[in-house]
Amino acid sequence: MAPVTEDAAADVASDAVASGAVASDAEQVEPAERVEPAEQPAQGSQYDLAWRRFRRDRVGMASLTVIVLVIVVAVGAPLIVRLFGLDPYTFHSELIGDGALPKDGLWHSGMSASHPLGIEPSTGRDILARLLYGARVSLLITTLGTALTMVLGVLIGMIAGYAGGWTDAIFGRLMDLILSVPQLLLLLTLNPIAVQLLGDKFGIGGNGARIVFIVSMFGLLGWPYIARIVRGQVLSLREREFIEASRVSGSGPWRILRHELLPNLWVPIIVYGTLLFPTYIATEAALSFLGVGVIEPTPTWGKMLAASVTFYQVDPLYLFIPGGALFIVVLAFNLLGDSIRDALDPRSAHS
């Protein structure tokens, strides 16, 4: 509703007086006829309501529990490995028998009290220790890649949507260009070149260069998706009354972006971030599986899956353990993203 000006209010009052419509007795106004303004929720109360809705979602709470457990186990991997007396890098060749398979254990997996999840065929390295250390690498790469993607996407999307004109047109064509690039092929092609360049120019070698390359490519190739979402939201928000009021009060573009638009974008940002995280986990595992991710001796779930292909017929547990862990984590993050979306926007659950 448009604000009422002082001149308009004076005209209405004078007309009412002239027609005798102005009541001199307050009792003429029936209390039942007054329309009370809707009570506005306090700052942050929408997130309190969302949290209460989320807590009632059993699937969401179960997914959150699994994710928190995985994060705690990954962070505490060195301590857990030390408590169990394990080592992800030690070769136990004495436990390997004929055909490069462990001598004992279920399905020749080498399971024992000393190695709860068995040992790797051919190398004899402990699977539990490598699984825990592999989670650390996967979560590190995924967290950094998601953070870089969200920062670039939100920033560019806000600028494009708010500025409009040629700025929006340039960023729009750039988004179209990046989205048309075969990303996996580009990652496979640029990996050796980028790793060598990082080593020669910046002194970053080995797996450090590979991690920097993967995280950078995640951010540079992934930001257009969230940028388009944010741009669409900003286009609908920039013409609202509170944005116009902020402009009239003398606020500059960056202040409007930070203090007016950004607080109204947290819902799509949070939802998209929770859905992007499992995508990057699976992508990192795929890159390691293809040999362009983190290399030996650093353990990753993708490398464990790649090594298990040779022995999956005679040692299926070596395939199912890292594969099952990857499946559970990706599924938990996807379910968590759906639950967060439903909690922040209840209408989406019924659409």
Side-chain angles (χ1 to χ4, degrees), residues 211-260:
I211 291 175
V212 171
F213 169 72
I214 295 174
V215 170
S216 301
M217 295 305 292
F218 278 173
L220 294 176
L221 298 179
W223 66 264
Y225 298 96
I226 181 62
R228 282 191 165 184
I229 296 174
V230 171
R231 173 186 173 273
Q233 294 290 323
V234 172
L235 286 175
S236 63
L237 289 172
R238 69 179 185 178
E239 305 300 333
R240 300 283 293 273
E241 289 81 358
F242 68 96
I243 299 296
E244 292 294 335
S246 183
R247 290 196 191 101
V248 171
S249 65
S251 298
W254 286 109
R255 179 177 177 79
I256 294 176
L257 291 176
R258 293 195 312 268
H259 297 284
E260 304 296 342

Side-chain angles (χ1 to χ4, degrees), residues 141-154 215 219 276-277 280:
I141 294 176
T142 303
T143 301
L144 295 177
T146 302
L148 180 60
T149 301
M150 298 303 293
V151 170
L152 290 176
V154 172
V215 170
L276 181 66
F277 205 91
Y280 281 172

Side-chain angles (χ1 to χ4, degrees), residues 145-229:
T146 302
L148 180 60
T149 301
M150 298 303 293
V151 170
L152 290 176
V154 172
L155 181 61
I156 294 176
M158 290 175 63
I159 294 174
Y162 183 77
W166 63 268
T167 302
D168 187 21
I170 291 176
F171 281 124
R173 301 295 77 75
L174 182 60
M175 294 178 198
D176 295 336
L177 177 63
I178 295 177
L179 292 175
S180 66
V181 173
Q183 299 184 4
L184 182 58
L185 181 61
L186 187 64
L187 285 167
L188 295 174
T189 304
L190 294 181
N191 179 70
I193 302 173
V195 170
Q196 182 177 359
L197 181 64
L198 288 171
D200 296 341
K201 299 296 183 180
F202 302 99
I204 305 175
N207 283 327
R210 292 174 176 268
I211 291 175
V212 171
F213 169 72
I214 295 174
V215 170
S216 301
M217 295 305 292
F218 278 173
L220 294 176
L221 298 179
W223 66 264
Y225 298 96
I226 181 62
R228 282 191 165 184
I229 296 174

